Amino acid sequence: MELSHRLNEAIARKFAKIALGHVAQEYPNQPMHVMVEDSDARTPRELHPAFFGSYDWHSCVHSWWLLLTLRRTFYKIPEFEAISALAETTLSEENLAVELAYFDRPTARGFERPYGWGWLLYLHHEAERHEDQAWGARLAPLACAISKRFAEFLPLLTYPITVGTHFNTAFALLLAREWAKARDPALLAQIDAWSLNAFASKSDYAGWEPGGDEFLSPVLTASLLMSDVMTSQDFTPWFEGLVLTNGWLERECHPVTVSDRSDGKIAHLDGLNLSRAWCLLRIGRSLENSTLTALLNSRAEAHLDAAIPHVAGDYMGEHWLASFALLALLETS
């Protein structure tokens, strides 16, 4: 089917303006900061001079991914220069050295694990594509530190975390895997082996989603990860047995209702509509079943219809939703 939602210059400019408006906005802020003494009580900008904006650390990181992605793909938009100038002062060696030092704190072992870890690697993956700038090289030490954390964490993670929020394992590994493909064969092999062990035997999904504050689909994020790890010949029957033959896809995979966009948790559901669309579009390309691909594209379109109008409007969604909208819209081109 022909998708009506397409990434174009007008949308790119809108998303860029949204992100430029909050990546350097320090407050309101929700720091995930462990304090052990009075001197640890510091402002977000002091703690994270590169990623202090956008309400929280991970949202700031993936908003920078959005800005750099738009800079590369729509280099003629007027916002190009503003993105470049702000990135140059924000993604400085000095600022990123402080970010790296924060991860070395004894109390930061679980800081942003795994969601922020995945997004930081994805940001570095994008930054390295800007060959006219040094941002990739500056982010490299932090990315390498986080890749090491993934390598150390996966052997400890006996079971996948399959919630629809920041702790979801599959989503973080999707982002980390893209980074590892070009840079870290050992981590790539580790992610693939761990993913197969965690998900390849799963079938007949019967989870109770959506949850009331979820922005990820547990089953679709796991499925998307497996579409990257498995061959298409193996993935298609696995996916059919997971969500098609049991009726889940037909019965449950429809856009969700958002009752209050000023409530930060309930506003997550706009993100669920967007991230589902992203998963459905990408999964559809991996299938050896054209009828099923058409169905997934149709469901993706419905989810985009429900969410795209609400990317901006209330800060509880505005500080992060455009990134997920961009993930999905990049799959429509």
Side-chain angles (χ1 to χ4, degrees):
M1 64 169 288
E2 184 68 22
L3 295 169
S4 63
H5 292 281
R6 297 283 182 179
L7 183 60
N8 56 39
E9 183 174 308
I11 293 174
R13 292 197 65 192
K14 176 182 178 180
F15 288 0
K17 289 176 182 176
I18 290 171
L20 284 168
H22 61 69
V23 290
Q25 178 178 323
E26 188 170 7
Y27 299 106
N29 200 293
Q30 186 182 52
M32 292 182 288
H33 174 55
V34 177
M35 295 185 290
V36 296
E37 57 186 33
D38 288 350
S39 63
D40 288 330
R42 299 162 67 191
T43 67
R45 190 186 294 264
E46 290 173 322
L47 293 168
H48 300 292
F51 305 121
F52 61 85
S54 307
Y55 192 72
D56 48 43
W57 192 89
H58 50 255
S59 296
C60 195
V61 169
H62 66 66
S63 294
W64 272 111
W65 166 81
L66 175 145
L67 287 170
L68 296 193
T69 301
L70 294 178
R71 179 187 187 269
R72 175 176 55 83
T73 53
F74 290 91
Y75 55 88
K76 294 183 179 181
I77 61 174
E79 291 74 20
F80 178 95
E81 293 299 336
I83 295 169
S84 301
L86 187 59
E88 184 60 22
T89 58
T90 302
L91 304 179
S92 67
E93 289 185 14
E94 296 79 10
N95 288 349
L96 292 170
V98 176
E99 297 285 355
L100 178 58
Y102 188 90
F103 275 88
D104 288 335
R105 292 164 55 98
T107 57
R109 179 183 181 186
F111 177 69
E112 289 289 352
R113 185 181 73 194
Y115 182 76
W117 294 4
W119 271 118
L120 191 284
L121 294 185
Y122 212 49
L123 170 59
H124 180 236
H125 178 64
E126 175 58 40
E128 285 200 321
R129 303 168 82 171
H130 297 252
E131 297 180 355
D132 61 325
Q133 301 291 340
W135 306 324
R138 294 174 190 170
L139 279 161
L142 182 55
C144 289
I146 287 178
S147 70
K148 182 180 178 182
R149 291 198 171 203
F150 267 117
E152 293 170 347
F153 176 57
L154 285 178
L156 305 178
L157 189 62
T158 307
Y159 313 103
I161 301 171
T162 55
V163 297
T165 53
H166 306 87
F167 306 103
N168 183 286
T169 309
F171 179 79
L173 292 185
L174 278 162
L175 303 182
R177 190 178 187 277
E178 284 299 308
W179 180 90
K181 277 163 56 175
R183 299 167 186 85
D184 193 335
L187 180 61
L188 177 64
Q190 187 181 16
I191 289 172
D192 287 0
W194 189 94
S195 301
L196 287 167
N197 183 66
F199 296 114
S201 63
K202 304 297 185 187
S203 62
D204 194 23
Y205 179 71
W208 288 1
E209 68 172 83
D213 69 347
E214 294 185 331
F215 62 92
L216 299 169
S217 162
V219 69
L220 292 181
T221 50
S223 296
L224 182 51
L225 177 62
M226 296 306 287
S227 76
D228 286 348
V229 172
M230 287 177 155
T231 66
S232 58
Q233 294 88 347
D234 291 336
F235 175 71
T236 297
W238 178 85
F239 183 71
E240 291 176 346
L242 188 70
V243 296
L244 183 65
T245 56
N246 64 1
W248 181 88
L249 193 64
E250 177 59 36
R251 184 178 63 253
E252 304 292 347
C253 191
H254 299 278
V256 299
T257 299
V258 185
S259 63
D260 184 357
R261 291 186 168 86
S262 68
D263 184 297
K265 292 292 188 180
I266 294 175
H268 276 178
L269 292 168
D270 275 320
L272 179 61
N273 283 330
L274 292 169
S275 66
R276 275 185 174 179
W278 172 62
C279 290
L280 291 165
L281 290 168
R282 271 194 57 187
I283 290 168
R285 295 209 311 267
S286 301
L287 294 169
E288 295 190 332
N289 180 333
S290 59
T291 301
L292 181 53
T293 294
L295 174 60
L296 296 191
N297 287 345
S298 175
R299 291 295 162 81
E301 182 87 346
H303 282 79
L304 288 172
D305 285 343
I308 289 291
H310 306 294
V311 167
D314 190 284
Y315 193 65
M316 296 316 296
E318 192 169 294
H319 75 271
W320 67 281
L321 283 172
S323 298
F324 281 81
L326 183 60
L327 281 175
L329 291 176
L330 285 170
E331 300 299 326
T332 66
S333 57

